[in-house]
Amino acid sequence: MKIKNDLILIKVLLLLSLWGGGVAVAQPVELVVNASAPGSVVQPDLWGIFFEDINFGADGGLYAELVKNRSFDFTNTPLMGWSPYGLVEVRKDGGPFDRNPNYVRLTGKRELLTGTGLINEGFRGIGIVEDESYRFSFYARTSENTPQRIQAELVDSKNNSAGRIVIEVSGKEWKKYQGEIVGRGTDTHCRLNVRLLSYGVTDLEHISLFPAKTWKGRENGLRSDIAQVLSDLKPKVFRFPGGCIVEGNDLATRYQWKNSVGAVENRPVNENRWNYEFSYKFFPDYFQSYGLGFYEYFLLAEDIGAEPLPVISVGFSCQFQRGREEVVPLNELQPYIDDALDLIDFANGPVTGKWGKLRAEMGHPAPFNLKYLAIGNEQWGPLYHTYLEAFMKQIRQKYPNIQIVGSSGPYSGGEEFERLWPQMKALKVDLVDEHYYATPEWFLNNARRYDNYDRNGPKVFAGEYAAHSVPIKKNSFEAAIAEAAFLTGIERNVDVVYLATYAPLLAHVDAWQWNPNLIWFDNLNIVRTPNYYVQQLYAHNSGTHNLPITRNGQIVAGDDRLYASAVIDTQKREIILKLVNTSPRARNINIRIDPLARGMNIKSEVKATFMSGELHRENTLQEPLAIVPQEEILKMGENNTLTVNVRWQSFNVYKINY
Ligand code: AHR
């Protein structure tokens, strides 16, 4: 009987030790942080963001314009997004903007019972907030001698009026008209009904609706809540505008930055690379208005304190569309190289030059101080290095201080990756852009990825990465904690990895092509994912140098399902530890700071921030705060040792002042 009871007790203890309910029975883990000699410098631009107009990230997302296809220039579908009624005709003779030639002619007739007008559906609806103001504008002319009346009315999802305005139009010349609509209710799915109230002929073009409150109050502005969430990350580098959209579905639809600057009405719309992705999500209404163009990207980078890192076409259309990609002949590459040189001029050149002058005319005479430029996105194959070399030769000659980013293809390893890296080394690019979308397991297994990288070659830009959970890809805590574990490896190797940006950044809940993404939104609300908070904790706690953190003299990179890294901020006098426990049980851990640097006096209060939870949990519009960082204050123990009971499945940041 005694033996049986003992066996039951042993089983219970065993179960308790395996279960993650906060009971820790194992011996404490001993970690040591050597604070006596700061290690490698953490590059000040290390943690950043990568923006692409995918998932309605720009048009329908960050760019605050609420009208889809405002200029009637979507290729082959000029009325995409609009439901016309009565007598509405699309014309292109004598419009006010030569690069967006289409406009609509509205004819009002007494006998038309429907009246004449057109309704815009917005980007899966228009988000309107009660008592907020909206700036409605358009260009118009009329052949009538008497003023014509245009009514713009917001209609909510229950078909009630959500605000309206009437504006009189007169004269045969094109003029801009503008007025304010005040929201009469809050609804994420309104529509905009633009109606001709008079009998006669009136032409309309560039029909636009913006919230009055945009980011920094700019007229051609950004959605302030989304821009704020980006700013809250405190990113230090900002890669844009893609991604595959840089390459385009074909060369004609590649991102051409010159089309994205100057008067917003005359930036020619371009088909979005993601218009046809994926076959099960057919979005034939995905165009780029370029309202959020390179000038706005540079401004945003400046606003949020990040270094701009534009990516430009190397002369290949998207290689992912295997068999359909287009490559410009080498002897026709010069215009592409000119685009790169002119871009540097636009960003940094004197206002007396062509491109610097345009920058000044747009409102920014001071240079944007561009220092990075990526040539090509995820390029590979036998031609890439030859094309890149042609760019580099001219850029190095004219702008020797620009740091050039080359590609290592779309995968984290494999034949192309192995071929590309030596080519990038031979070309002496400054940074190599690596992309990896892989399972959480891959991220955990790759925490040591950079430990043995060549210290003398180009530096790494982890330009696109995200853990993709299986079988369903989502922004679960499982993905976030795997990324947190992997990033300890980046902190340990800051002498190799100079920049890192998660991807993709934004996704509209009703119009996404890609999953997972860092931030989700609908037409009025935002969800920060657990992955967002992981990025934020790294970016806010970057330190100035890394420090060795070891267990029995070895790095902490997955043994016993623990991962750890440490940095010091020599200016703020902080030691910051990151600790990831991926096991389903809590752990007692002693972290000893030893030896101390000369004059270092460790303060007793330690700020701990942690994220913990079930692996399948995610933040949603309905439950946006399911997994968020929480804070507590701990006390340093004797011998500069911090004793912590690290929660099961948790990411922990400890800030120790000295
Ligand atoms: O981030 C989504 C896509 O993934 C990017 O456009 C491309 O570079 C990569 O394949």
Side-chain angles (χ1 to χ4, degrees):
M1 187 62 174
K2 164 103 179 42
I3 292 174
K4 197 173 169 198
N5 281 347
D6 283 354
L7 273 177
I8 289 170
L9 186 64
I10 288 167
K11 269 189 194 160
V12 168
L13 283 175
L14 200 66
L15 272 176
L16 278 174
S17 72
L18 288 173
W19 176 65
V23 179
V25 290
Q27 283 295 307
V29 172
E30 305 288 338
L31 302 183
V32 180
V33 178
N34 180 345
S36 65
S40 305
V41 170
V42 180
Q43 293 305 309
D45 308 338
L46 175 60
W47 303 111
I49 51 175
F50 159 51
F51 183 90
E52 176 167 26
D53 192 1
I54 182 173
N55 308 314
F56 278 23
D59 287 296
L62 180 59
Y63 185 47
E65 173 64 83
L66 297 168
V67 174
K68 184 164 70 187
N69 192 11
R70 62 188 172 190
S71 65
F72 312 100
D73 284 291
F74 281 15
T75 326
N76 301 328
T77 49
L79 284 176
M80 175 63 74
W82 295 96
S83 304
Y85 54 92
L87 283 172
V88 177
E89 185 193 353
V90 179
R91 303 177 67 105
K92 56 168 64 192
D93 53 315
F97 307 114
D98 58 334
R99 301 209 294 176
N100 277 323
N102 291 350
Y103 62 92
V104 284
R105 171 157 295 175
L106 274 54
T107 305
K109 287 192 174 159
R110 191 176 298 275
E111 60 269 30
L112 270 178
L113 292 178
T114 56
T116 287
L118 62 178
I119 299 171
N120 192 270
E121 66 190 30
F123 297 92
R124 306 294 186 273
I126 295 175
I128 296 297
V129 178
E130 185 161 13
D131 293 335
E132 292 281 326
S133 294
Y134 296 85
R135 190 172 21 87
F136 172 68
S137 68
F138 58 96
Y139 288 78
R141 67 177 179 187
T142 177
S143 49
E144 308 301 325
N145 293 326
T146 50
Q148 300 284 294
R149 296 169 72 229
I150 297 289
Q151 173 181 281
E153 181 158 38
L154 290 161
V155 181
D156 72 14
S157 51
K158 296 197 180 91
N159 280 327
N160 297 315
S161 176
R164 103 191 162 93
I165 187 174
V166 176
I167 295 177
E168 273 196 2
V169 167
S170 58
K172 299 193 169 47
E173 301 303 317
W174 287 102
K175 276 184 282 185
K176 184 174 181 180
Y177 297 85
Q178 188 167 309
E180 186 187 89
I181 306 179
V182 176
R184 255 196 247 147
T186 297
D187 195 327
T188 50
H189 284 83
C190 295
R191 286 159 291 148
L192 176 69
N193 186 358
V194 180
R195 187 179 180 92
L196 177 60
L197 298 181
S198 314
Y199 302 129
V201 176
T202 299
D203 295 338
L204 301 180
E205 162 66 318
H206 200 87
I207 301 176
S208 166
L209 183 74
F210 269 85
K213 284 188 197 150
T214 55
W215 170 252
K216 307 268 180 202
R218 294 196 182 108
E219 196 173 316
N220 182 48
L222 308 181
R223 217 176 110 168
S224 57
D225 56 344
I226 298 184
Q228 188 60 52
V229 168
L230 301 184
S231 176
D232 290 346
L233 279 169
K234 296 195 187 155
K236 290 292 180 274
V237 66
F238 177 41
R239 178 179 182 244
F240 61 88
C244 291
I245 68 162
V246 168
E247 302 158 276
N249 283 315
D250 50 28
L251 285 174
T253 54
R254 72 187 188 281
Y255 197 105
Q256 298 189 55
W257 74 267
K258 286 174 180 166
N259 289 342
S260 80
V261 292
V264 76
E265 297 87 349
N266 215 6
R267 301 180 189 176
V269 300
N270 189 21
E271 184 181 76
N272 191 301
R273 157 71 183 83
W274 297 102
N275 199 23
Y276 306 108
E277 293 278 332
F278 296 91
S279 52
Y280 60 91
K281 279 184 179 281
F282 190 59
F283 291 156
D285 60 345
Y286 200 2
F287 276 64
Q288 301 171 82
S289 69
Y290 282 150
L292 169 51
F294 264 45
Y295 178 77
E296 290 77 19
Y297 283 127
F298 280 121
L299 264 192
L300 178 62
E302 185 172 86
D303 290 344
I304 61 182
E307 295 293 343
L309 195 165
V311 187
I312 57 162
S313 164
V314 71
F316 297 12
S317 73
C318 185
Q319 290 184 269
F320 243 105
Q321 313 169 107
R322 287 163 206 280
R324 280 205 292 122
E325 69 263 32
E326 244 188 293
V327 178
V328 72
L330 193 54
N331 60 4
E332 293 171 23
L333 190 61
Q334 191 55 41
Y336 291 72
I337 300 177
D338 289 343
D339 276 355
L341 297 170
D342 293 343
L343 175 60
I344 301 169
D345 222 14
F346 177 72
N348 296 351
V351 298
T352 45
K354 176 178 175 189
W355 295 106
K357 183 164 174 270
L358 177 60
R359 183 189 70 237
E361 282 165 4
M362 292 184 76
H364 203 285
F368 283 117
N369 299 320
L370 176 70
K371 65 180 195 193
Y372 298 113
L373 184 63
I375 319 280
N377 170 64
E378 286 189 348
Q379 258 55 76
W380 72 82
L383 296 179
Y384 174 55
H385 72 285
T386 311
Y387 279 57
L388 177 57
E389 189 175 21
F391 275 80
M392 285 182 69
K393 219 166 144 193
Q394 295 187 42
I395 295 172
R396 290 273 196 244
Q397 200 176 21
K398 200 161 174 205
Y399 301 105
N401 294 330
I402 292 289
Q403 296 187 44
I404 294 179
V405 183
S407 160
S408 62
Y411 304 117
S412 60
E415 209 180 301
E416 286 296 341
F417 181 89
E418 299 302 335
R419 201 194 342 258
L420 282 157
W421 253 101
Q423 289 175 347
M424 294 304 114
K425 280 185 187 171
L427 285 175
K428 294 197 171 51
V429 300
D430 299 286
L431 294 124
V432 175
D433 185 9
E434 293 193 351
H435 293 181
Y436 25 87
Y437 297 101
T439 61
E441 202 187 349
W442 182 95
F443 276 82
L444 297 177
N445 293 338
N446 275 269
R448 293 166 192 259
R449 176 180 176 87
Y450 295 113
D451 290 349
N452 299 315
Y453 259 50
D454 180 1
R455 267 45 205 171
N456 301 312
K459 301 303 172 189
V460 172
F461 172 20
E464 292 185 28
Y465 63 88
H468 284 189
S469 52
V470 279
I472 298 172
K473 293 176 187 170
K474 56 181 190 172
N475 288 100
S476 59
F477 187 54
E478 181 193 17
I481 198 175
E483 287 153 10
F486 174 81
L487 297 179
T488 59
I490 288 194
E491 276 203 339
R492 190 170 51 251
N493 291 286
V494 286
D495 54 331
V496 168
V497 184
Y498 272 26
L499 306 171
T501 55
Y502 179 100
L505 186 62
L506 294 174
H508 191 299
V509 291
D510 295 330
W512 53 272
Q513 297 87 29
W514 191 281
N515 195 10
N517 304 286
L518 201 64
I519 299 157
W520 290 83
F521 58 90
D522 69 8
N523 289 333
L524 292 177
N525 308 287
I526 290 207
V527 179
R528 296 160 184 82
T529 62
N531 316 69
Y532 172 96
Y533 291 114
V534 167
Q535 294 292 318
Q536 193 176 44
L537 284 171
Y538 272 93
H540 287 204
N541 296 289
S542 58
T544 54
H545 301 77
N546 65 6
L547 293 175
I549 178 166
T550 52
R551 179 184 184 184
N552 300 325
Q554 304 295 315
I555 61 167
V556 189
D559 292 341
D560 228 0
R561 302 175 77 167
L562 283 177
Y563 301 79
S565 57
V567 292
I568 187 168
D569 192 314
T570 53
Q571 265 115 54
K572 294 188 197 151
R573 300 183 69 81
E574 291 167 351
I575 294 171
I576 307 165
L577 315 176
K578 318 244 170 32
L579 196 53
V580 181
N581 175 20
T582 64
S583 95
R585 65 188 171 109
R587 310 293 299 270
N588 280 329
I589 301 184
N590 296 327
I591 311 166
R592 188 156 49 93
I593 316 292
D594 183 36
L596 299 180
R598 189 194 289 265
M600 203 177 243
N601 187 8
I602 300 283
K603 303 263 163 56
S604 81
E605 207 162 83
V606 176
K607 186 174 143 200
T609 310
F610 64 92
M611 294 168 66
S612 174
E614 290 160 11
L615 295 181
H616 67 90
R617 296 297 296 278
E618 51 187 326
N619 296 340
T620 59
L621 278 174
Q622 295 69 37
E623 208 189 351
L625 305 177
I627 301 272
V628 292
Q630 297 175 60
E631 290 184 359
E632 59 189 355
I633 300 296
L634 306 176
K635 289 274 174 234
M636 210 60 195
E638 290 191 351
N639 297 325
N640 298 319
T641 300
L642 177 68
T643 297
V644 285
N645 181 250
V646 173
R647 290 168 178 80
W648 66 308
Q649 291 163 188
S650 62
F651 171 39
N652 308 271
V653 179
Y654 304 104
K655 198 178 272 186
I656 299 163
N657 289 90
Y658 65 89

